[in-house]
Amino acid sequence: MTEIQLKDVSNKYILKKINLTISSKELFIVLGPSGAGKTTLLKTIAGLVSYEGSIFFDGEPIDHLPPEERKVGYVPQDFTLFPHMTVEQNIAYGLRVCKASSRIHSRVEELLDIFGLRSLRNRYPKDLSGGERQRVAIARALAIQPRVLLLDEPLSNLDPATSKYVKRWLQSVIKELGITTLWVTHDISEVEELGDRVGILYNGILEQVGKLKEILSSPKTDNVINLLGLQNVFECEVVKVDGGFIEVEFQGVRLLTLYDGEEAEVRKILIRPQDIVISREPVKMFNVFEGVLEEISEKISYAHLKLRINDVVFISELPLEVYRLMNLRVGEKVFITIRPRAVRII
């Protein structure tokens, strides 16, 4: 399949110097809020909007190619099926435009089977459910055997139950077909379940690219922090530097953390809720504090805890079985341990 590469891609609407490489057969997710430029990014790759910079497929520039020659399968957010055409006719549309008459029958039959649409072939869009319309739209995009697949918020118009089913099904189909796919969304839960890598797009700027776990552990910008809803982020001051460690202070709390000297200034730290250890007795380690457990909220697989040390509020997450075994109660005093390695400079 096809590798996609963007070099300094910008346009007058929103995108600003986008540099990105998506590997062949990769399912790459772009996460961003409304107005971030996600749809514009897809339309740029498809050749539907003007832009500056260069786009390459397998190392070959495609900037000079019109949309119909780029061999891109683009599925817009609203699916845009032709209401006067049946399922079969919608799927065949791209092939007819490309004048591939000799392949229409065999390709449509193949896609009807792959997408489980054979029994619906003579229905019109108004007679289909949201999930069925979504399948038809993707089948139509794949009919021309595109080099890449571009999906614009493919689950946003579906109810939760249908969305869950379509997400699993679509992931399976993409893997089976081995097609390079760019999927944009505003929903972080889709990123957690789907993509190996994710790009964070905010106000037309690609803020950070990497595996979600890496980005959650080491977000690079305030926009990434805010978009991902990260907690335990504190502005701080350095009070001591000692070899490979530094001591920082915020709101009367001092923490020791590792320091390799790469950051010119240390102004902000992040502590993941999962990295805050709670005990009833003090532990002989660095960064141990006595605090009060103020709130407890049980989730599906973990307990969300709000802890206070003087004027500072920390959020901790414990596996549900650990929380229940400890039998923690609101209002009791506990000890909080934060390993130096868990304090991340951002």
Side-chain angles (χ1 to χ4, degrees):
M1 279 297 169
T2 301
E3 178 190 80
I4 306 171
Q5 188 175 21
L6 284 73
K7 289 188 176 181
D8 293 328
V9 171
S10 306
N11 70 3
K12 63 181 181 182
Y13 303 107
I14 188 167
L15 300 181
K16 303 176 182 72
K17 297 286 184 179
I18 301 293
N19 288 282
L20 175 66
T21 299
I22 302 172
S23 301
S24 174
K25 299 184 180 181
E26 181 178 8
L27 170 55
F28 186 86
I29 312 293
V30 171
L31 176 69
S34 297
K38 303 187 299 296
T39 297
T40 303
L41 177 62
L42 296 185
K43 288 183 175 180
T44 299
I45 295 172
L48 299 173
V49 296
S50 59
Y51 61 91
E52 298 174 352
S54 298
I55 300 175
F56 301 84
F57 283 0
D58 285 335
E60 296 293 327
I62 63 167
D63 307 308
H64 62 289
L65 297 177
E68 63 272 16
E69 293 182 24
R70 294 193 177 198
K71 295 207 72 177
V72 168
Y74 172 49
V75 183
Q77 187 173 349
D78 58 2
F79 311 156
T80 55
L81 297 179
F82 298 111
H84 62 289
M85 293 184 184
T86 64
V87 167
E88 183 175 354
Q89 291 167 340
N90 264 284
I91 294 174
Y93 177 79
L95 293 168
R96 296 190 189 281
V97 170
C98 295
K99 298 181 180 179
S101 56
S102 62
R103 294 191 296 126
I104 290 178
H105 178 74
S106 60
R107 183 60 176 161
V108 170
E109 293 296 317
E110 179 184 10
L111 290 168
L112 288 171
D113 285 335
I114 291 174
F115 287 80
L117 295 168
R118 183 167 293 280
S119 63
L120 307 175
R121 66 189 305 160
N122 294 318
R123 290 192 188 180
Y124 289 89
K126 65 181 179 63
D127 300 318
L128 303 175
S129 68
E132 290 165 347
R133 288 196 297 273
Q134 177 68 289
R135 281 187 280 160
V136 175
I138 297 170
R140 183 180 62 184
L142 292 172
I144 61 169
Q145 295 182 304
R147 300 179 69 178
V148 302
L149 179 62
L150 309 177
L151 301 174
D152 192 352
E153 301 265 12
L155 307 179
S156 62
N157 291 324
L158 305 177
D159 62 78
T162 304
S163 174
K164 186 176 181 179
Y165 163 76
V166 170
K167 180 165 45 182
R168 289 197 302 264
W169 165 83
L170 189 50
Q171 184 180 24
S172 175
V173 168
I174 290 170
K175 184 177 181 180
E176 181 181 342
L177 295 176
I179 186 168
T180 308
T181 301
L182 179 55
W183 176 315
V184 307
T185 181
H186 67 279
D187 187 348
I188 190 173
S189 67
E190 293 179 25
V191 181
E192 293 170 334
E193 298 179 31
L194 287 171
D196 182 48
R197 289 196 308 146
V198 57
I200 308 296
L201 189 67
Y202 197 95
N203 196 28
I205 298 173
L206 194 59
E207 301 263 353
Q208 192 168 351
V209 174
K211 293 185 177 182
L212 181 60
K213 186 179 292 187
E214 296 169 352
I215 294 175
L216 289 172
S217 297
S218 301
K220 291 184 177 180
T221 69
D222 288 342
N223 289 331
V224 174
I225 291 170
N226 294 333
L227 182 62
L228 297 179
L230 299 180
Q231 302 179 85
N232 300 324
V233 178
F234 303 102
E235 294 184 356
C236 64
E237 293 182 354
V238 176
V239 295
K240 185 179 180 181
V241 180
D242 185 6
F245 294 87
I246 60 170
E247 190 174 14
V248 298
E249 181 176 2
F250 55 97
Q251 301 178 50
V253 174
R254 289 193 176 194
L255 284 176
L256 195 69
T257 182
L258 302 181
Y259 181 60
D260 57 14
E262 289 186 1
E263 294 82 4
E265 292 184 280
V266 179
R267 295 182 176 178
K268 192 174 288 188
I269 58 170
L270 164 72
I271 306 159
R272 297 171 65 242
Q274 300 91 331
D275 290 333
I276 295 179
V277 180
I278 299 173
S279 60
R280 286 199 167 88
E281 299 294 332
V283 181
K284 291 184 179 181
M285 288 184 64
F286 296 110
N287 300 336
V288 180
F289 308 92
E290 185 177 4
V292 177
L293 180 53
E294 291 195 336
E295 292 181 14
I296 300 173
S297 175
E298 288 194 26
K299 307 298 182 181
I300 294 176
S301 60
Y302 65 92
H304 180 93
L305 310 178
K306 179 180 176 181
L307 307 136
R308 182 176 293 276
I309 301 173
N310 299 325
D311 294 329
V312 183
V313 173
F314 290 90
I315 301 299
S316 175
E317 293 177 359
L318 292 180
L320 207 53
E321 61 272 19
V322 174
Y323 158 70
R324 288 173 176 169
L325 187 63
M326 292 182 70
N327 195 29
L328 294 169
R329 294 287 182 266
V330 170
E332 72 173 297
K333 291 184 178 180
V334 294
F335 288 90
I336 299 166
T337 304
I338 304 170
R339 294 177 298 110
R341 189 179 297 277
V343 182
R344 304 178 186 274
I345 298 167
I346 56 176

